[in-house]
Amino acid sequence: MRRPVDLDQDRVVALVLRLSGPAILGISAHALQMLVNAWFAADLGAAAIATIAIAYPVTLLVAALGYGAGIAAASQVSRALGAGDDDRAAASAGLGFWLSLPAGLAVTAAIVADTPFWLRLLGADAALAAEAAPYTALATVGTALMLVMIVGGFIVRAQGHARLSGAVMVGSFGLNILLDGVLIRVCGLGTAGAGWAAIGAQLAGAAAYGLHFARARGPDRISVRWPGSRVGRAALAEALTLAVPATGSSLLAAFAMALFVEAAAPYGDAAVAAQGIALRLTLVAALPLLGTMAGAQAVLGHAAGGGRRDRLHRALVFVLTAALAYGAIVGGLMIVLAEPLAGLFAQDPGTAREGARATAIFAVAFMPVGLQLTAATLFQAIGAPRRAAAVSLAAQGLALIPPLLILPPLLGYTGVLASRVAAEFLADGIGLALMLAWCVGARRTGGAAPVEGRETVQVAAAHEAAHQGT
């Protein structure tokens, strides 16, 4: 049996890889499920592809709550464990669920009550909203169940349980693939079958985390009581400063995607479907990077909480270098293979041609994406909410909105696609600038890296942390 990881003493690069590996495996299972789902939808025609594309921003409204709460919980848990405070880590983990589940269920209920309204609000015309409503309602319920997986995954990775997180994701998304095949192909339920498959798979994943936390003991045990003491209120305030910007960035991403659909809609279903294909391929390409960032956040946060500036900087340099190399290689392959990739998910020549064009352009924007992802992960891990928000909000939409309003009237559909490149490059530049400023500040202080306002990451002498993850 492999020995448990030591977040204080293990070599940084090996530690990042060991924590990232299961997350990458699990997220790759998600990527495979998305590709298989799109492959099944391709047989149903361009309208089905467009249905799944327009439903994604709606479901993201629910998922955003989980990502925000999970990022906040992971940051607080990893820093608390780095400082040797198991009680604070347990309370922070429980707080993550309190911040996500009640709000997520309320938003889900509102969407299911009038799904066509939300689809029209996010850019769909009346016909597409009616077509996409059944699948969207089912997928939203599945996403509400997925909140347990999202927050639980962030928490167990912060504790060092990367293999558990990977196993739950592989099992859940593997089940989703199986159910997709049965419900879409065998039972002939179409896109509604994909929605029911998501519900079944996410229910299984939520149950797995529920069982784990019910059995957890020692430093892995979490407290689910609502914080009522002064310490609890302080933890809540800090969690909100981390969660709200992260949630806001995901909500802004949903709004930006809706603008994308609205901008492409005048060019027909083929244009909307092409963007759905390109966005899905780009997201799939990014999933291993997101897994790396998930593992790195635990290492960065633990080093910050324990005052280990040397480990913090080694982890940062490795993650940034690896992310940029990955982006360059995979982005280049996507450009070269754009036509066969798009052809896998489009039956008619027009959709396939536009899908290949969009994929190649989005691949150019993807190449330097490691800059913004690394910057956001760093600032979330060390508890710098405003800098994390600046990067995340730019990456998820603020940088997209101006070019999307300017370029399409000038260049037509080419302007819609070019907006993506302009937005990503701007977000990458913001991330790079903020990371350089932070590194310069850390070098000048020689022991405390300025974060936000009066917050600092104190670089104290190394100490023995009480926690070792498994």
Side-chain angles (χ1 to χ4, degrees):
M1 184 174 180
R2 296 183 69 181
R3 68 178 179 85
V5 298
D6 187 336
L7 289 166
D8 281 310
Q9 302 299 329
D10 284 357
R11 296 181 64 180
V12 167
V13 172
L15 188 57
V16 172
L17 292 174
R18 188 171 173 184
L19 291 176
S20 299
I24 292 173
L25 181 62
I27 291 177
S28 295
H30 189 191
L32 179 61
Q33 181 270 321
M34 293 177 68
L35 290 175
V36 171
N37 179 262
W39 183 62
F40 286 137
D43 288 345
L44 304 175
I49 302 174
T51 289
I52 293 176
I54 188 60
Y56 182 68
V58 180
T59 60
L60 190 58
L61 296 174
V62 179
L65 299 168
Y67 290 123
I71 286 170
S75 177
Q76 290 184 311
V77 168
S78 61
R79 284 183 284 122
L81 293 176
D85 192 341
D86 292 344
D87 291 337
R88 181 160 59 92
S92 298
L95 184 58
F97 287 108
W98 276 106
L99 290 177
S100 62
L101 293 181
L105 293 175
V107 173
T108 298
I111 292 173
V112 172
D114 191 357
T115 307
F117 165 78
W118 292 91
L119 289 166
R120 291 192 300 270
L121 184 65
L122 292 174
D125 58 29
L128 182 57
E131 178 75 20
Y135 167 76
T136 304
L138 293 170
T140 302
V141 174
T143 305
L145 293 169
M146 193 177 179
L147 289 175
V148 177
M149 280 186 60
I150 294 172
V151 179
F154 274 107
I155 290 170
V156 298
R157 286 191 296 268
Q159 293 172 328
H161 295 285
R163 281 181 287 175
L164 172 63
S165 172
V168 172
M169 285 192 287
V170 169
S172 176
F173 293 122
L175 177 61
N176 203 329
I177 291 173
L178 177 63
L179 292 176
D180 274 338
V182 171
L183 297 178
I184 297 175
R185 283 285 179 86
V186 178
C187 298
L189 297 180
T191 55
W196 283 112
I199 290 177
Q202 302 311 325
L203 183 61
Y209 274 120
L211 183 63
H212 165 73
F213 287 121
R215 292 180 172 180
R217 295 292 183 270
D220 295 333
R221 189 171 181 84
I222 68 172
S223 171
V224 295
R225 292 176 298 174
W226 180 256
S229 65
R230 179 173 298 181
V231 174
R233 288 194 295 270
L236 173 61
E238 183 190 37
L240 288 173
T241 63
L242 290 165
V244 169
T247 298
S249 68
S250 295
L251 296 176
L252 187 59
F255 176 68
M257 288 181 186
L259 288 181
F260 243 59
V261 172
E262 186 175 1
Y267 304 94
D269 283 349
V272 176
Q275 288 201 63
I277 291 170
L279 284 170
R280 179 159 292 204
L281 286 171
T282 304
L283 179 58
V284 167
L287 290 177
L289 273 181
L290 299 178
T292 301
M293 299 303 159
Q297 182 173 353
V299 179
L300 292 167
H302 196 277
R308 296 293 304 274
R309 176 185 171 187
D310 56 334
R311 294 175 66 82
L312 182 66
H313 280 255
R314 281 202 299 272
L316 177 62
V317 170
F318 169 71
V319 170
L320 179 59
T321 302
L324 290 175
Y326 176 87
I329 294 170
V330 174
L333 289 174
M334 289 175 65
I335 294 172
V336 173
L337 301 175
E339 290 188 9
L341 286 172
L344 291 173
F345 310 109
Q347 297 297 318
D348 64 283
T351 301
R353 183 173 57 254
E354 290 299 332
R357 180 187 179 196
T359 298
I361 292 175
F362 286 14
V364 173
F366 176 78
M367 288 182 172
V369 74
L371 290 170
Q372 57 181 270
L373 290 177
T374 303
T377 301
L378 168 67
F379 295 128
Q380 288 160 354
I382 66 175
R386 281 176 283 181
R387 296 190 187 192
V391 179
S392 297
L393 292 174
Q396 297 293 348
L398 284 183
L400 174 63
I401 294 172
L404 197 56
L405 295 176
I406 296 170
L407 295 181
L410 298 176
L411 303 175
Y413 183 59
T414 300
V416 177
L417 300 178
S419 300
R420 178 84 177 189
V421 180
E424 293 291 344
F425 283 3
L426 178 57
D428 293 326
I430 292 173
L432 177 60
L434 289 175
M435 279 194 295
L436 290 175
W438 181 82
C439 289
V440 170
R443 192 176 295 274
R444 285 178 178 173
T445 57
V451 178
E452 291 290 336
R454 290 175 294 178
E455 298 178 28
T456 58
V457 177
Q458 297 297 330
V459 182
H463 67 279
E464 290 294 327
H467 173 78
Q468 291 183 354
T470 60

